Amino acid sequence: MLNITLKYIPYHTDVAFLQIKQSEVREIPNYLFFFYLHVYTSLFVLLAGFTQFNTNILSKHKSIHRWIGKMYVIVVLFFAAPSGFFIGCYANGGTTSIIAFLVLAVLWFVFTLRSFIAIKKGDVITHKKFMYRSFALAFSAVTLRLWKVILVYLFEPSPMDLYQIIAWLGWIPNLLFVEYLIIKKKKR
């Protein structure tokens, strides 16, 4: 993900993914602003999320966990999820892909907010469950790209068919896996 993000530094309008989004770049006011806001803030969210599940930080450095967690929540709620929603409105693959990315952005926002509200109320268990869900959706940035490579290698679908498939595969399996882990942990 870092390598993908670095392609956009310094600010370019025609590299990587933006090469196929030139009509949006030219015709949609603020598309580039929201695109770059999403790319840069989502990278922070991924890095922050990985630290939040580190048992060493959770047990020995609670103030670091709280500080990074607050930053994660602020970045997701005010920058990454809203900008993801905006650019999701212009997703490749038509209505199917657009719906997938809009649902993803809304769920990401809601799960992050629910996690924050839960911890403010002192409900650590609910906080953890919703943070797992939030990060599963954040991690869709990675899994979407993995599915893309796998599907292109195995089936060579047309680009628009591929977008329609990976728009959903990028996050639904992540969320199902997290739900499985939550249920499994509850049974113990």
Side-chain angles (χ1 to χ4, degrees):
M1 288 308 298
L2 180 61
N3 186 38
I4 291 169
T5 304
L6 289 175
K7 291 178 183 177
Y8 299 109
I9 300 171
Y11 177 85
H12 292 289
T13 61
D14 62 349
V15 295
F17 179 73
L18 288 176
Q19 290 175 327
I20 61 171
K21 300 301 281 183
Q22 288 302 296
S23 61
E24 287 83 353
V25 167
R26 286 189 306 273
E27 298 167 15
I28 308 297
N30 299 317
Y31 182 84
L32 274 177
F33 170 78
F34 284 108
F35 175 81
Y36 275 101
L37 183 64
H38 185 70
V39 168
Y40 296 146
T41 59
S42 294
L43 181 61
F44 167 80
V45 166
L46 284 172
L47 295 172
F50 281 116
T51 67
Q52 293 304 87
F53 301 106
N54 180 301
T55 53
N56 185 40
I57 292 174
L58 283 168
S59 62
K60 296 179 184 172
H61 306 285
K62 291 183 186 210
S63 63
I64 292 173
H65 173 79
R66 276 190 223 107
W67 186 83
I68 293 174
K70 286 176 186 174
M71 293 305 298
Y72 178 97
V73 167
I74 289 167
V75 170
V76 170
L77 295 182
F78 292 101
F79 303 107
S83 61
F85 188 89
F86 180 87
I87 62 175
C89 292
Y90 306 99
N92 294 335
T95 304
T96 301
S97 299
I98 291 169
I99 291 169
F101 287 116
L102 296 182
V103 170
L104 168 61
V106 168
L107 288 177
W108 192 21
F109 184 93
V110 169
F111 293 164
T112 305
L113 182 60
R114 292 277 313 267
S115 179
F116 177 73
I117 291 168
I119 202 62
K120 285 295 178 189
K121 292 180 177 179
D123 185 351
V124 175
I125 293 171
T126 301
H127 166 72
K128 284 182 179 180
K129 288 177 183 178
F130 278 100
M131 196 49 70
Y132 290 148
R133 292 172 179 130
S134 172
F135 190 69
L137 297 180
F139 199 69
S140 70
V142 175
T143 54
L144 177 143
R145 285 156 181 84
L146 290 173
W147 279 113
K148 182 178 177 182
V149 169
I150 292 167
L151 293 175
V152 166
Y153 179 78
L154 292 176
F155 303 108
E156 300 178 18
S158 72
M160 289 308 131
D161 290 343
L162 180 64
Y163 276 106
Q164 291 173 345
I165 296 166
I166 64 173
W168 295 97
L169 271 181
W171 62 273
I172 289 178
N174 295 7
L175 205 50
L176 291 173
F177 179 69
V178 164
E179 292 302 324
Y180 165 76
L181 293 177
I182 290 170
I183 291 167
K184 185 177 173 186
K185 192 171 189 174
K186 186 178 181 181
K187 288 182 179 180
R188 282 194 251 160

